[in-house]
Amino acid sequence: MPVWCCRCSLAGHFRNYSDPETEGEIFNSLVQYFGDNWGRKVKAMPLVEETSLLEDSSVTLPVVVIGNGPSGICLSYMLSGYRPYLSSEAIHPNTILHSKLEEARHLSIVDQDLEYLSEGLEGRSSNPVAVLFDALLHPDADFGYDYPSILHWKLEQHHYIPHLVLGKGPPGGAWHNMEGSMLTISFGNWMELPGLKFKDWVSSKRRNLKGDRVMPEEIARYYKHYVKVMGLQKNFRENTYITSVSRLYRDQVDNDGQDRDISTQHLQIEKSKFTKRNWEIRGYQRIGDGSHIPFCLFAENVALATGTLDSPGRLEIDGEDFPFVFHSMPEFGAAISKGKLCGKVDPVLIVGSGLTAADAVLCAYNNNVPVIHVFRRRVTDPSLIFKQLPKKLYPEYHKVYHMMCTQSYSLDSNLLSDYTSFPEHHVLSFKSDMKCILQNISGLKKIFKLSAAVVLIGSHPNLSFLKEQGCYLGHNSSQPITCKGNPVEIDAYTYECVKEANLFALGPLVGDNFVRFLKGGALGVTRCLATRQKKKKQHLFVERGGGDGIA
């Protein structure tokens, strides 16, 4: 069975370019990145599929991005050489920020001091670069304004950094798997990526945009089109599944030139004998007939852009695996749409207090399916997401929140006909006869007969391809990575993992669950890699004698 290697992947990289001029420009950028010796190696590479691993493991890709959702797409856009500049007539409403931008108007934002620009800005992300980039793309959006972006974009192909973006499905990631019955939480223009306005794309497709918020499938189509129209397809590989991402080390005293895994304990004992090598990425690509083609890539840097929707959160209680218990909105939506729950006398149990749980409540409510809504928090808890959403912009979610507050269960009354909330309750177990046992904070238990249950309490990323399932990268290394509770710990301005050099994370993995803010991750990573590339070129220049006379 054929195996991808770094060489055949790069060969495919060139082979997919239809424009000879573009191919030449990209080749020149590769030579600039790796040096002339590497360029001669690439020219010697046959443009055919190979079945053996690359013998010279020093030839590696600068970047491999794992995940092809909006985070991975935006990162590919910027790694491809697109650079944001302050528009000539732009005036930012934040006068302090605008003054800072004017100081280096001639430079792209990628080439500026992100920490300096971010200082003093506030927003709905804990990552300062995310807040900065959002402020440039959507000035004062949280105050209800729809100001245009103050940036314009230029394609500067000499800034191209060779990379591959690996994803399980088409570009757009999890957006292709979302049910279309619900509106997105964000406005359409907040979901757009740099350089292509969502409204312009909708107009070009001759679709009517009836409101500012749109259906998920519309967003998925937009992301897929974005990759094509921006000329990024050459960087993307679909239907790829990652099985391992690991560091390789080379024993300096070995003469066989082979990289190999070295135990951590061994490294600590004799660090001087080993040189840290690049990343090895292994996996397989699923092709049309259902078969799998294994591959192996080598990369200087890996960027994790997987999102966090891989593994739905579970209650970890008895009976949770019964067939009437769902763990995702698509499962529940399919049961509703097929009429399996319509006309049922027994209610549906919905567990969770986030927006996905609210979507499930609306789905059941609008289809005349009675609801029992269970959540652990008080309705006055200030951290509830509903308290962060303006009523005028999100009336349907505030309708759910109003019901949560006003239609709660009490011992003096029975279940209401359409909806009953159970604040500060949790589910103890599910029974085979489709009953559930609820318990409140006082320990009082109640049993209810159900027609179905849907558990929507968040999700976890699948980082099984990393050591320790990626847990060691989090703020709390003893817990799984989650968007809110335990995101990957990163440098605030480069998005490089604190606990692993040359490994980057962005998007929901670092707490940025909204598309508005994950674009900042692409900016931070690109600036970091571009800065290192510049230093590498300067070092090569000095090594070749071009630095004579330079202090």
Side-chain angles (χ1 to χ4, degrees):
M1 187 171 288
V3 179
W4 284 10
C5 66
C6 180
R7 186 182 300 183
C8 70
S9 296
L10 286 171
H13 221 56
F14 292 120
R15 188 173 54 256
N16 289 339
Y17 291 148
S18 58
D19 182 356
E21 185 176 345
T22 301
E23 180 178 336
E25 290 170 343
I26 298 303
F27 175 77
N28 289 337
S29 70
L30 287 165
V31 174
Q32 285 179 8
Y33 193 96
F34 290 107
D36 293 333
N37 288 336
W38 191 88
R40 285 192 289 273
K41 288 181 183 179
V42 173
K43 285 183 177 178
M45 290 181 186
L47 299 186
V48 296
E49 297 296 331
E50 299 185 28
T51 58
S52 61
L53 289 176
L54 188 63
E55 292 179 3
D56 182 0
S57 61
S58 65
V59 181
T60 63
L61 280 166
V63 188
V64 167
V65 182
I66 300 176
N68 65 353
S71 296
I73 295 171
C74 192
L75 180 54
S76 177
Y77 177 76
M78 299 188 73
L79 292 178
S80 295
Y82 286 93
R83 291 292 183 265
Y85 288 84
L86 183 65
S87 297
S88 56
E89 299 178 357
I91 299 177
H92 198 282
N94 183 322
T95 55
I96 297 176
L97 177 57
H98 185 78
S99 177
K100 292 179 180 180
L101 293 167
E102 285 285 0
E103 293 172 10
R105 175 181 281 275
H106 62 291
L107 294 177
S108 79
I109 304 300
V110 172
D111 296 315
Q112 297 188 39
D113 185 340
L114 301 183
E115 184 173 1
Y116 172 64
L117 293 178
S118 303
E119 187 180 8
L121 296 179
E122 296 181 354
R124 289 196 288 140
S125 170
S126 59
N127 296 310
V129 177
V131 174
L132 167 66
F133 210 28
D134 181 65
L136 301 178
L137 294 169
H138 306 289
D140 282 357
D142 285 332
F143 295 105
Y145 296 106
D146 190 20
Y147 293 138
S149 169
I150 65 165
L151 301 177
H152 74 280
W153 294 81
K154 295 181 182 179
L155 176 57
E156 299 175 345
Q157 289 180 328
H158 60 283
H159 286 312
Y160 175 82
I161 297 179
H163 62 282
L164 282 180
V165 183
L166 308 178
K168 295 177 182 177
W175 286 94
H176 290 280
N177 302 324
M178 295 184 186
E179 283 293 294
S181 60
M182 296 297 163
L183 293 171
T184 60
I185 180 64
S186 298
F187 297 138
N189 64 328
W190 289 359
M191 311 297 285
E192 68 192 21
L193 298 178
L196 180 62
K197 290 185 178 297
F198 181 76
K199 288 182 179 178
D200 292 345
W201 174 78
V202 169
S203 299
S204 71
K205 297 298 177 183
R206 297 182 180 179
R207 294 190 177 96
N208 294 321
L209 194 61
K210 296 180 180 179
D212 287 326
R213 292 167 60 205
V214 293
M215 297 293 184
E217 68 265 24
E218 204 76 55
I219 296 296
R221 282 194 289 267
Y222 165 80
Y223 290 146
K224 188 175 181 180
H225 177 78
Y226 181 93
V227 169
K228 182 178 180 180
V229 77
M230 293 300 173
L232 307 179
Q233 311 103 299
K234 58 187 174 288
N235 304 315
F236 282 72
R237 297 293 183 272
E238 299 179 16
N239 303 314
T240 57
Y241 297 79
I242 309 301
T243 55
S244 74
V245 174
S246 59
R247 283 279 199 189
L248 293 179
Y249 295 82
R250 176 168 288 172
D251 190 336
Q252 292 179 355
V253 300
D254 281 351
N255 295 318
D256 60 5
Q258 296 298 311
D259 288 343
R260 56 195 178 95
D261 286 314
I262 306 294
S263 71
T264 303
Q265 185 179 9
H266 195 178
L267 277 174
Q268 290 173 344
I269 295 172
E270 298 183 275
K271 276 188 176 179
S272 61
K273 288 180 59 180
F274 300 101
T275 301
K276 183 176 282 191
R277 302 291 295 155
N278 299 303
W279 293 101
E280 180 191 73
I281 302 102
R282 289 184 176 272
Y284 61 89
Q285 185 176 36
R286 185 175 292 165
I287 57 177
D289 62 2
S291 60
H292 295 171
I293 301 178
F295 65 81
C296 177
L297 299 171
F298 298 95
E300 293 178 11
N301 304 278
V302 171
L304 303 174
T306 60
T308 58
L309 295 179
D310 293 306
S311 303
R314 295 177 61 87
L315 298 171
E316 304 297 343
I317 59 174
D318 290 341
E320 195 171 0
D321 291 323
F322 286 130
F324 66 89
V325 182
F326 305 119
H327 288 86
S328 73
M329 189 60 202
E331 284 181 303
F332 180 59
I336 291 283
S337 63
K338 292 176 182 177
K340 293 182 178 180
L341 304 177
C342 295
K344 297 280 187 179
V345 175
D346 297 321
V348 165
L349 171 69
I350 296 173
V351 184
S353 59
L355 295 178
T356 308
D359 282 341
V361 170
L362 289 168
C363 183
Y365 186 87
N366 294 335
N367 284 276
N368 299 313
V369 177
V371 172
I372 292 176
H373 188 190
V374 173
F375 46 96
R376 289 178 176 269
R377 298 183 185 181
R378 306 186 314 274
V379 292
T380 55
D381 190 323
S383 64
L384 284 173
I385 185 64
F386 308 100
K387 292 184 173 292
Q388 303 174 35
L389 303 178
K391 289 183 180 180
K392 289 185 178 180
L393 301 182
Y394 303 98
E396 75 279 22
Y397 289 124
H398 279 276
K399 176 183 178 180
V400 173
Y401 181 55
H402 180 72
M403 292 193 299
M404 290 167 65
C405 295
T406 61
Q407 295 181 219
S408 57
Y409 178 79
S410 70
L411 295 175
D412 302 329
S413 61
N414 295 320
L415 294 177
L416 300 173
S417 60
D418 53 357
Y419 171 95
T420 308
S421 70
F422 286 78
E424 299 182 276
H425 281 69
H426 65 277
V427 184
L428 277 182
S429 64
F430 295 104
K431 301 300 180 182
S432 58
D433 57 358
M434 300 185 72
K435 290 180 180 178
C436 72
I437 303 175
L438 306 182
Q439 185 177 48
N440 67 10
I441 56 173
S442 301
L444 187 65
K445 299 176 183 178
K446 192 77 175 176
I447 299 176
F448 293 99
K449 182 80 164 63
L450 307 174
S451 60
V454 55
V455 178
L456 300 169
I457 54 173
S459 57
H460 307 292
N462 180 4
L463 299 177
S464 59
F465 50 83
L466 292 171
K467 68 177 183 181
E468 300 175 21
Q469 308 285 310
C471 293
Y472 78 105
L473 299 173
H475 287 264
N476 183 347
S477 59
S478 65
Q479 297 294 321
I481 298 296
T482 60
C483 177
K484 293 181 180 179
N486 189 36
V488 174
E489 187 177 6
I490 55 168
D491 179 278
Y493 301 98
T494 66
Y495 285 73
E496 188 171 27
C497 295
V498 169
K499 296 165 185 172
E500 191 74 83
N502 303 106
L503 182 65
F504 298 81
L506 63 163
L509 290 175
V510 300
D512 286 329
N513 221 14
F514 291 99
V515 175
R516 271 179 64 189
F517 297 110
L518 58 79
K519 290 172 274 193
L523 173 61
V525 174
T526 302
R527 169 161 171 71
C528 178
L529 294 177
T531 301
R532 291 177 183 176
Q533 180 179 357
K534 190 180 298 183
K535 289 179 179 177
K536 181 182 290 187
K537 288 180 180 178
Q538 290 172 346
H539 180 68
L540 287 172
F541 180 70
V542 173
E543 274 190 343
R544 293 173 184 174
D548 292 346
I550 297 177

